[in-house]
Amino acid sequence: MANPSANEIAIVAALRRLKRGEVVAYGEVARRAGLPGRARLVARVLAHASVDDLPWYRVLRADGRIAFAPGSAEFVEQVRRLHAEGVSVSDGRVGTALVRNSLDALLWAPPPSAG
DNA sequence: ACTCTGACCAGCC
DNA sequence: GGGCTGGCCAGAG
């Protein structure tokens, strides 16, 4: 975005803090950015950002489902990238517990294959 | 200024 | 688990 607001900058920073294998909800990202209740703004930021600029695929809906329509190119790509980080996705969703307790996800030690 | 829309969410039933 | 409702607020007509 050409002229990012302070809020958008905070959201981008929160997104960049996500580690491999860590999945969070849009609302959680907003929360970490100091913007509770601004989940939609997170979605806007991601929609506007370049695919390789931010870890967009680590962001899911609050119920653990992928935000894209099942079968869409974006959906398939997100599942592919998550699986590459050791996050199992079945039926278009990861465990809701994994999203709600995203902090725990860090303790589950993601596979040390790449990077 | 106003209406619609949106990679969302939480509370109810 | 599913369907509705109200809340959120930035962009695009």
Side-chain angles (χ1 to χ4, degrees):
Chain A
M1 36 200 73
N3 196 7
S5 68
N7 288 351
E8 290 168 334
I9 291 173
I11 288 172
V12 168
L15 288 168
R16 290 199 180 291
R17 281 197 290 275
L18 296 176
K19 295 175 171 54
R20 293 195 312 111
E22 180 183 14
V23 290
V24 297
Y26 290 85
E28 176 66 16
V29 174
R31 214 181 149 95
R32 294 183 182 190
L35 302 168
R38 305 299 303 281
R40 293 186 96 146
L41 184 55
V42 174
R44 291 197 68 75
V45 170
L46 287 178
H48 210 92
S50 300
V51 179
D52 290 311
D53 192 31
L54 297 169
W56 58 272
Y57 53 90
R58 301 205 262 241
V59 187
L60 305 165
R61 285 196 188 174
D63 60 4
R65 288 182 304 169
I66 285 175
F68 298 107
S72 66
E74 306 268 70
F75 178 97
V76 174
E77 179 64 12
Q78 184 162 12
V79 173
R80 197 183 72 76
R81 295 198 182 208
L82 285 176
H83 192 261
E85 294 193 348
V87 179
S88 59
V89 182
S90 65
D91 200 22
R93 57 190 283 177
V94 307
T96 50
L98 182 57
V99 180
R100 296 181 75 88
N101 303 314
S102 54
L103 204 53
D104 291 346
L106 290 173
L107 306 178
W108 294 5
S113 51

